[in-house]
Amino acid sequence: MDPEKVYQQMQDLASGNGIRVRLEKGDFEGGFCVLKEERIVVINKKLPLSRKLSVLVQGLAAIGIEHLEIDPALRAFIEDELVKAARPH
């Protein structure tokens, strides 16, 4: 799958489930948070696309994606990313 297309699908999945994705500058990678009752995934805009995707996957996993209706190819990508993230570095 094209990484740019996957990234857009992930953003659409997030927004479709009430999660805002924000790209910000700073000394962080990013993650999921709740700010004044708004669910947000903050991502460092300077990260390479592969890391942005990983942060977004982790953020969506924080809300639980098991119950969401997701394209099978996108779900496979998400599950692969979660497995990679669970491996010790």
Side-chain angles (χ1 to χ4, degrees):
M1 291 180 79
D2 173 43
E4 289 287 341
K5 184 177 178 183
V6 172
Y7 186 65
Q8 185 58 53
Q9 288 177 323
M10 294 291 296
Q11 288 184 315
D12 293 345
L13 181 62
S15 66
N17 287 282
I19 299 170
R20 187 163 64 124
V21 177
R22 288 179 42 181
L23 295 172
E24 301 287 339
K25 289 192 290 185
D27 188 23
F28 64 93
E29 286 210 5
F32 176 78
C33 66
V34 177
L35 179 63
K36 296 183 181 177
E37 299 181 21
E38 181 179 21
R39 300 183 310 169
I40 303 170
V41 175
V42 180
I43 302 171
N44 187 326
K45 66 177 10 177
K46 293 186 177 186
L47 291 176
L49 183 56
S50 62
R51 289 297 307 139
K52 288 178 184 174
L53 278 167
S54 183
V55 170
L56 192 46
V57 165
Q58 296 298 316
L60 287 172
I63 65 156
I65 59 167
E66 304 79 27
H67 66 285
L68 300 180
E69 193 171 314
I70 302 173
D71 174 77
L74 187 58
R75 184 175 292 279
F77 175 83
I78 292 169
E79 290 172 357
D80 287 348
E81 282 296 313
L82 291 173
V83 167
K84 286 182 206 174
R87 290 186 192 140
H89 291 66

